[in-house]
C-alpha cells in the first residue's frame, strides 16, 4: 500500500477531523452562550466576504450586527464579541490537539533528518567510524526560556494533552467530554505568574516529554551506531531560564533561583524513582532485588522526605546501577538489560540537575553594579581598586582588574540590584553543591558591548571569594554594531592573562551567545541574519587562532523574524568556517508546546537538530561553503535591506504607529509572564528598551509581520533593476543558507493579511506610513515568488501552507474583532468626554483577542 503524499495525509488526518470535531463542539449546549455556535460561522463568512470587498472591520461588524443581531445595543454587540472570542480560543485548542495527534502520520518520523536516516546514510557512505567520533563530541542543547509567549494556563495545557490522546484513539465520547470541559475552563490567568510558576509550568515538559524522548534517542544511537557501547558524551543537554534570567525581570530573586534549582533536582529524582519502581517489578532475581530496593528507598527519601537533603550521590547511584548491570550480564542472561541501560543513559544526560539553570543579567545593570562596588571599596579605604578607576580608559581598567580578588558580603550594599547580583553568584555555588556543576555553570551577559563587560563580571566572581569559578561567562551580542565588533572583543579576552587562565580552567571552551531577536529589531531581517553568519565566521577564525573551541548559543524565538522557522536547515547550511560542534538554541512560549510538546514532535525536532549537525560536519562536509562572490552578494543584499529598514525605523511615525495603531501597549496588560514588556520603567517608549517579543508580536497582530520581510524586496529589486538577477538566482539555487533565509521570509509573508488594516491607508496621519509597509510587502512577495519559481507562497511546503491557512481562517473573526475594538477605542478617546468604563471594556477585548491570535500562529512572537 502506497503512503499518501504529505498534503493528503494532512487533509485526511487534520483538516477532515477538525471539521468533524468542530461541528460537535459548536453544537455543545453551553450555559449562557445561547446561539453563539450558530452565529460564529456566519460572522466568519461575513468577515471573509467583507475584506474581499475592501470593507473596514467596523463596517463588517456593523453589517453583521444589523443582519443577525436585530438592532442590538452596543452592550449586546460587546457580549457577542466576547462569546466569539471564547469560542475561537477553544477552536484553536481543538486544532492544536488534532495537529499534535496527527503529527507522526503527517510527518515521516523515519524520513530525512531522522536517526534512521543518519544510520542508513552512514551505512551507504561506509563512514561509521567518522560518525561515531563526531557523536562522541557533539551536543544539542535546547534551552527553555521564560519569555512570555505561551498564553495557555496549566489547566488548558492539560486538556490539550488529554484531547490529543483521545483524538489519536478516535474516542468520540472522551473527545465530547473534553470539549465540554474545555468550554467551561477559564483561559485567562487571574494573577500574573511568578518566575517560579513559570518554572513549574516548563518543568512539566522536562518530566513528561524531554526525559523520555532524549533517553530514547541516545539509546537508539548507542544500540545502532555505537554497537551497544556506552556513550559517555551527553549528546542532548537541557537548559533552563525561568528563575535564572534576571535581565529586565525584577521579580527574579535569589530565593526564587534557589527554589527553582531545588525543584529541578527533585523533579529528576522523581523521574528516576518512577523508573526504579518499574525496574523493581522486573529485576526480581537473586542478587539484584536487594540492590534495586536500596536505590528505591534512597530516592524515595530524597524526593518525598527531603528538606533539601539528598540520601544518595550521583556517583553512588551510577556505581550501584553498573553493579546491577554486571550481575544481570554475568548471572541472568542480560534479562531486562535494555531497560537498565535506558536509566543509565538518562543518568548520564540529566545527572541530578535535569537542566542547567542559566543566570542572565544585562551589561547596563552590571555597569551600575560595578560602579557601586568600586564606590564601596573606596569608602572603606580599600586599595583593591585604584582611586581613579572610573576615569581610566578601557585598557587601563582591564589592566587594573588583573589583580582584583576578595570576599565582599552582598549585604553591605544598600542598592538592591547590587546585592541581588552578587547574591546570584553565591547562589550558583550553592546550586553546584546540591545539583552538581551542571546545575548552574553559565553566566550570560545581555547586550555585551566590550571586553570590559566580561572582565568586570569575572571580577565580581573573584570578589565573591571564587578565584577560579567553575562557570562559563557567556557574552551575548545582539545589535548589528556589537555583532560586527564581536571578534575584536573576543580577541581582547583571549589575549588577557586572567581571562586566558579562566578559559584554561574551563577546558579552553568559550560559549558565545548571538541574539537573532534583537538583531532583527535593530537591523532588519537580512542584516541581522547575515551579520550573525559573518560574526560566527569571524569568531570561529579568531577562536581557532588562539586554540579556543568556540560554542555558539543562538537566542532564537518562534517566528522567522526572531530566528525561527526551519531552524534545522540553518544549522545544516553552515559551512566549514563556522564551528558547529554544538547546536545550542533557546526555545520559548508556544514554540515549546508546538515543537516539543508531545513525544512525537519532540523526537522529530531533536532528531532534526542532531541530523543538521551530522549533515554539516560529516555527510555534506565542505559542501555549504560560501564563495567570496556569494559573500559579496549577501553583503550587498544585507546593506540594501538595512538601509531600507533603517529609513523605515527612523520614520517619525514608526513609534507612534506602533503605539496608536497596534497592540504594543496591550502586551503589558497580559498575565502571561512575569517579565515587564520593556526593560526600563520610564513612561515614554524608548525603542532600545522595547523587548523583541512585544515588538515582533505587535506586527504579527496587525498581520503585517514587518520584521520578517521588510527590506528583502528592496534588496532583491536592486539586482533585478541592474540586470544582475542571475547572481541572486544562482545564490538561491546553490546556497542552502540563502534559500532557507528566503523560505523563512516567505512564511512571514504567508502569515500576513493586509486587507485587515487596509482602512489605515485612508488615515490622515498614518496612511502614507501604512502604504510604505504594503508596497514593500508586495515587492517582497513578487520577487520571492520569482526567485523560487513559485506561483504561491510556501507551495513547496503544502502541509505547512494548509495549516497556516486553516489557522488564519479560524482567527479571522478574532482579528476583525480586535481591529474593531482598537477603532472604537480611538473613536471614544476623541470624544469631548471619553467614556472611560467603555474604553476599558474594549481594551479588554483587544487583550483577549491578542491571546487567541498568538496561540493560533504557534510561532508569532
Amino acid at each position: 500500500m502506497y503512503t499518501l503524499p504529505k498534503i493528503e495525509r494532512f487533509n485526511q488526518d487534520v483538516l477532515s477531523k477538525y471539521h468533524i470535531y468542530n461541528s460537535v463542539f459548536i453544537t455543545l449546549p453551553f450555559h449562557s452562550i445561547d446561539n453563539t455556535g450558530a452565529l460564529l460561522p456566519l460572522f466568519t463568512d461575513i468577515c471573509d466576504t467583507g475584506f474581499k470587498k475592501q470593507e473596514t472591520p467596523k463596517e463588517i461588524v456593523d453589517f453583521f450586527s444589523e443582519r443577525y443581531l436585530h438592532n442590538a445595543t452596543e452592550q449586546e454587540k460587546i457580549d457577542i464579541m466576547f462569546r466569539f472570542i471564547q469560542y475561537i480560543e477553544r477552536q484553536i485548542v481543538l486544532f492544536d490537539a488534532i495537529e499534535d495527534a496527527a503529527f507522526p502520520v503527517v510527518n515521516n518520523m523515519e524520513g530525512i533528518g531522522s536517526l534512521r536516516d543518519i544510520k542508513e546514510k552512514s551505512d551507504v557512505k561506509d563512514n561509521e567510524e567518522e560518525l561515531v567520533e563526531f557523536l562522541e563530541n557533539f551536543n544539542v542543547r535546547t534551552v527553555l526560556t521564560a519569555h512570555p509567549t505561551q498564553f495557555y494556563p496549566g489547566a488548558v495545557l492539560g486538556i490539550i494533552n488529554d484531547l490529543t490522546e483521545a483524538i489519536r484513539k478516535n474516542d468520540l465520547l472522551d473527545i465530547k467530554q473534553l470539549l465540554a470541559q474545555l468550554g467551561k475552563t477559564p483561559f485567562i490567568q487571574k494573577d500574573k505568574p511568578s518566575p517560579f510558576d513559570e518554572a513549574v509550568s516548563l518543568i512539566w515538559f522536562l518530566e513528561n516529554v524531554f526525559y523520555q524522548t532524549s533517553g530514547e534517542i541516545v539509546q537508539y544511537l548507542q544500540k545502532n551506531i555505537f554497537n551497544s557501547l556506552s556513550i559517555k558524551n551527553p549528546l542532548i543537554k537541557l537548559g533552563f531560564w525561568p528563575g535564572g534570567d534576571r535581565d529586565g525581570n525584577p521579580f527574579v530573586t535569589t530565593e526564587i533561583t534557589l527554589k527553582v534549582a531545588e525543584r529541578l533536582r527533585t523533579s529528576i529524582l522523581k523521574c528516576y524513582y518512577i523508573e526504579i519502581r518499574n525496574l523493581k517489578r522486573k529485576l526480581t532475581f537473586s542478587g539484584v532485588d536487594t540492590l534495586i530496593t536500596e536505590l528505591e528507598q534512597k530516592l524515595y527519601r530524597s524526593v518525598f522526605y527531603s528538606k533539601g537533603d539528598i540520601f544518595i550521590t550521583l556517583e553512588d547511584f551510577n556505581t550501584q546501577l553498573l553493579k546491577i548491570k554486571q550481575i544481570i550480564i554475568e548471572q541472568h542472561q542480560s534479562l531486562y538489560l535494555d531497560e537498565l541501560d535506558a536509566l543509565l543513559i538518562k543518568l548520564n544526560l540529566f545527572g541530578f540537575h535535569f537542566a542547567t539553570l542559566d543566570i542572565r543579567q544585562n551589561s547596563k545593570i552590571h555597569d551600575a553594579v560595578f560602579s557601586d562596588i568600586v564606590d564601596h571599596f573606596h569608602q572603606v579605604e580599600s586599595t583593591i581598586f585604584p582611586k581613579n578607576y572610573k576615569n581610566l580608559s578601557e585598557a587601563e581598567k582591564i589592566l587594573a582588574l588583573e589583580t582584583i580578588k576578595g570576599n565582599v558580603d552582598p549585604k553591605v550594599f544598600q542598592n538592591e540590584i547590587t546585592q541581588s547580583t552578587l547574591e546570584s553568584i553565591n547562589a550558583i555555588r550553592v546550586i553546584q553543591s546540591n545539583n552538581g556543576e551542571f546545575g548552574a555553570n553559565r553566566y550570560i551577559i545581555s547586550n555585551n558591548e566590550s571586553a570590559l563587560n566580561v572582565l568586570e563580571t569575572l571580577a565580581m566572581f573573584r570578589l565573591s571569594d571564587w578565584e577560579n569559578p567553575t562557570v562559563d561567562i557567556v557574552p551575548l551580542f545582539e545589535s548589528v554594531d556589537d555583532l560586527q565588533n564581536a571578534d575584536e572583543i573576543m580577541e581582547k579576552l583571549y589575549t588577557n592573562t586572567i581571562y586566558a587562565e579562566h578559559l584554561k580552567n574551563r577546558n579552553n571552551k568559550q560559549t558565545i551567545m548571538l541574539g537573532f531577536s534583537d538583531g532583527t529589531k535593530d537591523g532588519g531581517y537580512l542584516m541581522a541574519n547575515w551579520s550573525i553568519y559573518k560574526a560566527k565566521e569571524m569568531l570561529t577564525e579568531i577562536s581557532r587562532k588562539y586554540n579556543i573551541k568556540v560554542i555558539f548559543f543562538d537566542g532564537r524565538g518562534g517566528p522567522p523574524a526572531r530566528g525561527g522557522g526551519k531552524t534545522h536547515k540553518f544549522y545544516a547550511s553552515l559551512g566549514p568556517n563556522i564551528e558547529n560542534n554544538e547546536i545550542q538554541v533557546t526555545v520559548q512560549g508556544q514554540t515549546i508546546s508546538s515543537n516539543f510538546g508531545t513525544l512525537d514532535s519532540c523526537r522529530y525536532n531533536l532528531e532534526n537538530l542532531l541530523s543538521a549537525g551530522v549533515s554539516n560536519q560529516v555527510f555534506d562536509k565542505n559542501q555549504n561553503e560560501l564563495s567570496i562572490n556569494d559573500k559579496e552578494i549577501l553583503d550587498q543584499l544585507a546593506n540594501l535591506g538595512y538601509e531600507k529598514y533603517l529609513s523605515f525605523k527612523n520614520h517619525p511615525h514608526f513609534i507612534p504607529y506602533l503605539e496608536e495603531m497596534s497592540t504594543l501597549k496591550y502586551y503589558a496588560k497580559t498575565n502571561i509572564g512575569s517579565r515587564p514588556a520593556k526593560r526600563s520603567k520610564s513612561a515614554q517608549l524608548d525603542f532600545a528598551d522595547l523587548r523583541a517579543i512585544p515588538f515582533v508580536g505587535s506586527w504579527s497582530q496587525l498581520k503585517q509581520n514587518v520584521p520578517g520581510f521588510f527590506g528583502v524586496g528592496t534588496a532583491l529589486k536592486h539586482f533585478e533593476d541592474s540586470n544582475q538577477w542571475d547572481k541572486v538566482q544562482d545564490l538561491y539555487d546553490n546556497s542552502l543558507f540563502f534559500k532557507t533565509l528566503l523560505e523563512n521570509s516567505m512564511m512571514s509573508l504567508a502569515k500576513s493579511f493586509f486587507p485587515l488594516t487596509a482602512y489605515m491607508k485612508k488615515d490622515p496621519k498614518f496612511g502614507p506610513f501604512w502604504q510604505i509597509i504594503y508596497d514593500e510587502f508586495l515587492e517582497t512577495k513578487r520577487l520571492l515568488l520569482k526567485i523560487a519559481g513559485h506561483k504561491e507562497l510556501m507551495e513547496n511546503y503544502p502541509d505547512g501552507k494548509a495549516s497556516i491557512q486553516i489557522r488564519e481562517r479560524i482567527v479571522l473573526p478574532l482579528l476583525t474583532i480586535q481591529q474593531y475594538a482598537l477603532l472604537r477605542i480611538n473613536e471614544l478617546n476623541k470624544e469631548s468626554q471619553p467614556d472611560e468604563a467603555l474604553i476599558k471594556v474594549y481594551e479588554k477585548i483587544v487583550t483577549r483577542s491578542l491571546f487567541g491570535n498568538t496561540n493560533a500562529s504557534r510561532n508569532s512572537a
Side-chain angles (χ1 to χ4, degrees), residues 525-526 570 637 708 712 716 728 732 737-747 749 783-784 787:
Y525 183 72
L526 287 174
F570 267 119
L637 286 164
V712 175
L716 290 172
V728 288
Y732 179 85
F737 169 76
F738 187 56
K739 186 174 186 179
T740 304
L741 189 67
L742 295 193
E743 281 186 348
N744 280 344
S745 188
M746 285 187 215
M747 187 189 292
L749 296 179
L783 291 169
L784 286 181
I787 204 167

PDB file of all heavy atoms in Angstrom, residues 525-526 570 637 708 712 716 728 732 737-747 749 783-784 787:
ATOM      1  N   TYR A 525      15.661  42.134   8.816  1.00  0.00           N
ATOM      2  CA  TYR A 525      15.747  40.686   8.619  1.00  0.00           C
ATOM      3  C   TYR A 525      17.054  40.238   7.963  1.00  0.00           C
ATOM      4  O   TYR A 525      17.765  39.381   8.476  1.00  0.00           O
ATOM      5  CB  TYR A 525      14.546  40.230   7.782  1.00  0.00           C
ATOM      6  CG  TYR A 525      14.475  38.734   7.577  1.00  0.00           C
ATOM      7  CD1 TYR A 525      14.138  37.883   8.629  1.00  0.00           C
ATOM      8  CD2 TYR A 525      14.750  38.168   6.334  1.00  0.00           C
ATOM      9  CE1 TYR A 525      14.070  36.515   8.446  1.00  0.00           C
ATOM     10  CE2 TYR A 525      14.681  36.795   6.144  1.00  0.00           C
ATOM     11  CZ  TYR A 525      14.345  35.973   7.211  1.00  0.00           C
ATOM     12  OH  TYR A 525      14.288  34.602   7.027  1.00  0.00           O
ATOM     13  N   LEU A 526      17.388  40.813   6.818  1.00  0.00           N
ATOM     14  CA  LEU A 526      18.580  40.372   6.089  1.00  0.00           C
ATOM     15  C   LEU A 526      19.854  40.701   6.849  1.00  0.00           C
ATOM     16  O   LEU A 526      20.747  39.862   6.992  1.00  0.00           O
ATOM     17  CB  LEU A 526      18.620  41.021   4.700  1.00  0.00           C
ATOM     18  CG  LEU A 526      17.630  40.493   3.666  1.00  0.00           C
ATOM     19  CD1 LEU A 526      17.689  41.335   2.401  1.00  0.00           C
ATOM     20  CD2 LEU A 526      17.903  39.029   3.333  1.00  0.00           C
ATOM     21  N   PHE A 570      19.035  25.863   8.837  1.00  0.00           N
ATOM     22  CA  PHE A 570      20.122  26.827   9.026  1.00  0.00           C
ATOM     23  C   PHE A 570      21.383  26.116   9.519  1.00  0.00           C
ATOM     24  O   PHE A 570      22.481  26.361   9.035  1.00  0.00           O
ATOM     25  CB  PHE A 570      19.711  27.901  10.035  1.00  0.00           C
ATOM     26  CG  PHE A 570      19.106  29.120   9.403  1.00  0.00           C
ATOM     27  CD1 PHE A 570      17.813  29.500   9.698  1.00  0.00           C
ATOM     28  CD2 PHE A 570      19.834  29.886   8.510  1.00  0.00           C
ATOM     29  CE1 PHE A 570      17.247  30.627   9.108  1.00  0.00           C
ATOM     30  CE2 PHE A 570      19.281  31.018   7.910  1.00  0.00           C
ATOM     31  CZ  PHE A 570      17.980  31.382   8.213  1.00  0.00           C
ATOM     32  N   LEU A 637      23.092  42.612  -0.495  1.00  0.00           N
ATOM     33  CA  LEU A 637      21.685  42.419  -0.130  1.00  0.00           C
ATOM     34  C   LEU A 637      21.414  42.912   1.286  1.00  0.00           C
ATOM     35  O   LEU A 637      20.430  43.612   1.538  1.00  0.00           O
ATOM     36  CB  LEU A 637      21.313  40.937  -0.237  1.00  0.00           C
ATOM     37  CG  LEU A 637      21.153  40.365  -1.648  1.00  0.00           C
ATOM     38  CD1 LEU A 637      21.180  38.840  -1.618  1.00  0.00           C
ATOM     39  CD2 LEU A 637      19.848  40.854  -2.287  1.00  0.00           C
ATOM     40  N   GLY A 708       9.873  40.233   9.560  1.00  0.00           N
ATOM     41  CA  GLY A 708      10.224  39.021   8.833  1.00  0.00           C
ATOM     42  C   GLY A 708      10.442  39.209   7.343  1.00  0.00           C
ATOM     43  O   GLY A 708      10.792  38.257   6.646  1.00  0.00           O
ATOM     44  N   VAL A 712      13.662  43.057   2.281  1.00  0.00           N
ATOM     45  CA  VAL A 712      14.026  41.938   1.404  1.00  0.00           C
ATOM     46  C   VAL A 712      13.667  42.268  -0.040  1.00  0.00           C
ATOM     47  O   VAL A 712      14.466  42.079  -0.970  1.00  0.00           O
ATOM     48  CB  VAL A 712      13.335  40.622   1.855  1.00  0.00           C
ATOM     49  CG1 VAL A 712      13.623  39.499   0.853  1.00  0.00           C
ATOM     50  CG2 VAL A 712      13.800  40.229   3.252  1.00  0.00           C
ATOM     51  N   LEU A 716      16.318  42.734  -3.246  1.00  0.00           N
ATOM     52  CA  LEU A 716      16.240  41.901  -4.460  1.00  0.00           C
ATOM     53  C   LEU A 716      15.952  42.742  -5.711  1.00  0.00           C
ATOM     54  O   LEU A 716      16.475  42.468  -6.791  1.00  0.00           O
ATOM     55  CB  LEU A 716      15.152  40.834  -4.286  1.00  0.00           C
ATOM     56  CG  LEU A 716      15.451  39.707  -3.277  1.00  0.00           C
ATOM     57  CD1 LEU A 716      14.221  38.835  -3.070  1.00  0.00           C
ATOM     58  CD2 LEU A 716      16.636  38.843  -3.737  1.00  0.00           C
ATOM     59  N   VAL A 728      21.600  36.628  -7.891  1.00  0.00           N
ATOM     60  CA  VAL A 728      20.817  36.199  -6.715  1.00  0.00           C
ATOM     61  C   VAL A 728      20.098  34.885  -7.001  1.00  0.00           C
ATOM     62  O   VAL A 728      19.897  34.074  -6.087  1.00  0.00           O
ATOM     63  CB  VAL A 728      19.805  37.283  -6.249  1.00  0.00           C
ATOM     64  CG1 VAL A 728      20.529  38.445  -5.592  1.00  0.00           C
ATOM     65  CG2 VAL A 728      18.909  37.753  -7.373  1.00  0.00           C
ATOM     66  N   TYR A 732      20.462  31.584  -4.721  1.00  0.00           N
ATOM     67  CA  TYR A 732      19.291  30.876  -4.175  1.00  0.00           C
ATOM     68  C   TYR A 732      19.326  29.392  -4.553  1.00  0.00           C
ATOM     69  O   TYR A 732      19.047  28.520  -3.737  1.00  0.00           O
ATOM     70  CB  TYR A 732      18.005  31.512  -4.701  1.00  0.00           C
ATOM     71  CG  TYR A 732      16.737  30.848  -4.220  1.00  0.00           C
ATOM     72  CD1 TYR A 732      16.169  31.198  -2.996  1.00  0.00           C
ATOM     73  CD2 TYR A 732      16.107  29.860  -4.984  1.00  0.00           C
ATOM     74  CE1 TYR A 732      15.001  30.583  -2.545  1.00  0.00           C
ATOM     75  CE2 TYR A 732      14.947  29.242  -4.543  1.00  0.00           C
ATOM     76  CZ  TYR A 732      14.399  29.612  -3.324  1.00  0.00           C
ATOM     77  OH  TYR A 732      13.258  28.997  -2.876  1.00  0.00           O
ATOM     78  N   PHE A 737      21.918  28.068   2.851  1.00  0.00           N
ATOM     79  CA  PHE A 737      21.751  29.166   3.817  1.00  0.00           C
ATOM     80  C   PHE A 737      20.815  30.229   3.249  1.00  0.00           C
ATOM     81  O   PHE A 737      19.839  30.634   3.887  1.00  0.00           O
ATOM     82  CB  PHE A 737      23.113  29.777   4.154  1.00  0.00           C
ATOM     83  CG  PHE A 737      23.010  31.070   4.922  1.00  0.00           C
ATOM     84  CD1 PHE A 737      22.701  31.066   6.274  1.00  0.00           C
ATOM     85  CD2 PHE A 737      23.196  32.289   4.286  1.00  0.00           C
ATOM     86  CE1 PHE A 737      22.578  32.266   6.981  1.00  0.00           C
ATOM     87  CE2 PHE A 737      23.073  33.491   4.979  1.00  0.00           C
ATOM     88  CZ  PHE A 737      22.771  33.475   6.333  1.00  0.00           C
ATOM     89  N   PHE A 738      21.102  30.703   2.024  1.00  0.00           N
ATOM     90  CA  PHE A 738      20.308  31.780   1.425  1.00  0.00           C
ATOM     91  C   PHE A 738      18.892  31.300   1.116  1.00  0.00           C
ATOM     92  O   PHE A 738      17.912  32.019   1.331  1.00  0.00           O
ATOM     93  CB  PHE A 738      20.998  32.279   0.157  1.00  0.00           C
ATOM     94  CG  PHE A 738      20.360  33.492  -0.450  1.00  0.00           C
ATOM     95  CD1 PHE A 738      20.183  34.654   0.289  1.00  0.00           C
ATOM     96  CD2 PHE A 738      19.935  33.485  -1.775  1.00  0.00           C
ATOM     97  CE1 PHE A 738      19.589  35.782  -0.269  1.00  0.00           C
ATOM     98  CE2 PHE A 738      19.347  34.607  -2.347  1.00  0.00           C
ATOM     99  CZ  PHE A 738      19.175  35.759  -1.598  1.00  0.00           C
ATOM    100  N   LYS A 739      18.783  30.070   0.631  1.00  0.00           N
ATOM    101  CA  LYS A 739      17.458  29.528   0.311  1.00  0.00           C
ATOM    102  C   LYS A 739      16.596  29.436   1.570  1.00  0.00           C
ATOM    103  O   LYS A 739      15.422  29.812   1.567  1.00  0.00           O
ATOM    104  CB  LYS A 739      17.607  28.146  -0.327  1.00  0.00           C
ATOM    105  CG  LYS A 739      16.283  27.576  -0.834  1.00  0.00           C
ATOM    106  CD  LYS A 739      16.484  26.269  -1.586  1.00  0.00           C
ATOM    107  CE  LYS A 739      15.184  25.799  -2.206  1.00  0.00           C
ATOM    108  NZ  LYS A 739      15.343  24.544  -2.957  1.00  0.00           N
ATOM    109  N   THR A 740      17.190  28.948   2.657  1.00  0.00           N
ATOM    110  CA  THR A 740      16.447  28.837   3.915  1.00  0.00           C
ATOM    111  C   THR A 740      16.049  30.208   4.432  1.00  0.00           C
ATOM    112  O   THR A 740      14.933  30.411   4.932  1.00  0.00           O
ATOM    113  CB  THR A 740      17.297  28.103   4.973  1.00  0.00           C
ATOM    114  OG1 THR A 740      17.695  26.837   4.453  1.00  0.00           O
ATOM    115  CG2 THR A 740      16.511  27.884   6.264  1.00  0.00           C
ATOM    116  N   LEU A 741      16.959  31.178   4.298  1.00  0.00           N
ATOM    117  CA  LEU A 741      16.689  32.553   4.733  1.00  0.00           C
ATOM    118  C   LEU A 741      15.460  33.107   4.022  1.00  0.00           C
ATOM    119  O   LEU A 741      14.560  33.676   4.650  1.00  0.00           O
ATOM    120  CB  LEU A 741      17.925  33.414   4.438  1.00  0.00           C
ATOM    121  CG  LEU A 741      17.943  34.830   5.007  1.00  0.00           C
ATOM    122  CD1 LEU A 741      18.031  34.807   6.523  1.00  0.00           C
ATOM    123  CD2 LEU A 741      19.119  35.609   4.429  1.00  0.00           C
ATOM    124  N   LEU A 742      15.386  32.914   2.714  1.00  0.00           N
ATOM    125  CA  LEU A 742      14.262  33.449   1.937  1.00  0.00           C
ATOM    126  C   LEU A 742      12.992  32.624   2.132  1.00  0.00           C
ATOM    127  O   LEU A 742      11.889  33.178   2.154  1.00  0.00           O
ATOM    128  CB  LEU A 742      14.629  33.526   0.450  1.00  0.00           C
ATOM    129  CG  LEU A 742      15.761  34.494   0.073  1.00  0.00           C
ATOM    130  CD1 LEU A 742      15.796  34.715  -1.431  1.00  0.00           C
ATOM    131  CD2 LEU A 742      15.632  35.839   0.787  1.00  0.00           C
ATOM    132  N   GLU A 743      13.145  31.311   2.302  1.00  0.00           N
ATOM    133  CA  GLU A 743      11.956  30.479   2.550  1.00  0.00           C
ATOM    134  C   GLU A 743      11.296  30.860   3.874  1.00  0.00           C
ATOM    135  O   GLU A 743      10.065  30.872   3.985  1.00  0.00           O
ATOM    136  CB  GLU A 743      12.337  29.005   2.560  1.00  0.00           C
ATOM    137  CG  GLU A 743      12.512  28.414   1.166  1.00  0.00           C
ATOM    138  CD  GLU A 743      12.749  26.913   1.185  1.00  0.00           C
ATOM    139  OE1 GLU A 743      13.004  26.358   2.273  1.00  0.00           O
ATOM    140  OE2 GLU A 743      12.671  26.297   0.102  1.00  0.00           O
ATOM    141  N   ASN A 744      12.102  31.176   4.870  1.00  0.00           N
ATOM    142  CA  ASN A 744      11.535  31.588   6.155  1.00  0.00           C
ATOM    143  C   ASN A 744      10.848  32.947   6.036  1.00  0.00           C
ATOM    144  O   ASN A 744       9.839  33.206   6.698  1.00  0.00           O
ATOM    145  CB  ASN A 744      12.629  31.630   7.230  1.00  0.00           C
ATOM    146  CG  ASN A 744      12.930  30.249   7.779  1.00  0.00           C
ATOM    147  OD1 ASN A 744      12.157  29.315   7.604  1.00  0.00           O
ATOM    148  ND2 ASN A 744      14.048  30.098   8.443  1.00  0.00           N
ATOM    149  N   SER A 745      11.396  33.813   5.193  1.00  0.00           N
ATOM    150  CA  SER A 745      10.735  35.101   4.957  1.00  0.00           C
ATOM    151  C   SER A 745       9.390  34.888   4.270  1.00  0.00           C
ATOM    152  O   SER A 745       8.409  35.596   4.549  1.00  0.00           O
ATOM    153  CB  SER A 745      11.630  36.005   4.102  1.00  0.00           C
ATOM    154  OG  SER A 745      11.092  37.304   4.027  1.00  0.00           O
ATOM    155  N   MET A 746       9.322  33.881   3.385  1.00  0.00           N
ATOM    156  CA  MET A 746       8.045  33.546   2.725  1.00  0.00           C
ATOM    157  C   MET A 746       6.990  33.154   3.761  1.00  0.00           C
ATOM    158  O   MET A 746       5.807  33.447   3.594  1.00  0.00           O
ATOM    159  CB  MET A 746       8.243  32.409   1.725  1.00  0.00           C
ATOM    160  CG  MET A 746       8.935  32.811   0.440  1.00  0.00           C
ATOM    161  SD  MET A 746       8.937  31.446  -0.756  1.00  0.00           S
ATOM    162  CE  MET A 746      10.520  31.699  -1.544  1.00  0.00           C
ATOM    163  N   MET A 747       7.439  32.463   4.824  1.00  0.00           N
ATOM    164  CA  MET A 747       6.498  32.086   5.882  1.00  0.00           C
ATOM    165  C   MET A 747       5.916  33.340   6.545  1.00  0.00           C
ATOM    166  O   MET A 747       4.719  33.404   6.860  1.00  0.00           O
ATOM    167  CB  MET A 747       7.198  31.214   6.932  1.00  0.00           C
ATOM    168  CG  MET A 747       6.247  30.644   7.970  1.00  0.00           C
ATOM    169  SD  MET A 747       7.094  29.831   9.349  1.00  0.00           S
ATOM    170  CE  MET A 747       7.797  28.410   8.530  1.00  0.00           C
ATOM    171  N   LEU A 749       5.499  36.214   5.130  1.00  0.00           N
ATOM    172  CA  LEU A 749       4.540  36.784   4.172  1.00  0.00           C
ATOM    173  C   LEU A 749       3.234  35.996   4.167  1.00  0.00           C
ATOM    174  O   LEU A 749       2.143  36.570   4.086  1.00  0.00           O
ATOM    175  CB  LEU A 749       5.134  36.786   2.758  1.00  0.00           C
ATOM    176  CG  LEU A 749       6.376  37.650   2.503  1.00  0.00           C
ATOM    177  CD1 LEU A 749       6.827  37.491   1.056  1.00  0.00           C
ATOM    178  CD2 LEU A 749       6.105  39.107   2.805  1.00  0.00           C
ATOM    179  N   LEU A 783       9.006  39.203  -5.706  1.00  0.00           N
ATOM    180  CA  LEU A 783      10.372  38.771  -6.012  1.00  0.00           C
ATOM    181  C   LEU A 783      10.729  37.443  -5.348  1.00  0.00           C
ATOM    182  O   LEU A 783      11.529  36.678  -5.894  1.00  0.00           O
ATOM    183  CB  LEU A 783      11.359  39.875  -5.619  1.00  0.00           C
ATOM    184  CG  LEU A 783      11.243  41.117  -6.521  1.00  0.00           C
ATOM    185  CD1 LEU A 783      12.015  42.287  -5.953  1.00  0.00           C
ATOM    186  CD2 LEU A 783      11.705  40.803  -7.938  1.00  0.00           C
ATOM    187  N   LEU A 784      10.135  37.144  -4.222  1.00  0.00           N
ATOM    188  CA  LEU A 784      10.371  35.834  -3.604  1.00  0.00           C
ATOM    189  C   LEU A 784       9.712  34.733  -4.440  1.00  0.00           C
ATOM    190  O   LEU A 784      10.266  33.641  -4.585  1.00  0.00           O
ATOM    191  CB  LEU A 784       9.861  35.800  -2.163  1.00  0.00           C
ATOM    192  CG  LEU A 784      10.711  36.559  -1.133  1.00  0.00           C
ATOM    193  CD1 LEU A 784      10.109  36.419   0.264  1.00  0.00           C
ATOM    194  CD2 LEU A 784      12.153  36.079  -1.115  1.00  0.00           C
ATOM    195  N   ILE A 787      12.044  34.281  -7.499  1.00  0.00           N
ATOM    196  CA  ILE A 787      13.310  33.576  -7.259  1.00  0.00           C
ATOM    197  C   ILE A 787      13.076  32.095  -6.970  1.00  0.00           C
ATOM    198  O   ILE A 787      13.892  31.239  -7.312  1.00  0.00           O
ATOM    199  CB  ILE A 787      14.114  34.259  -6.120  1.00  0.00           C
ATOM    200  CG1 ILE A 787      15.607  33.935  -6.267  1.00  0.00           C
ATOM    201  CG2 ILE A 787      13.600  33.879  -4.739  1.00  0.00           C
ATOM    202  CD1 ILE A 787      16.516  34.795  -5.402  1.00  0.00           C
TER     203      ILE A 787
END
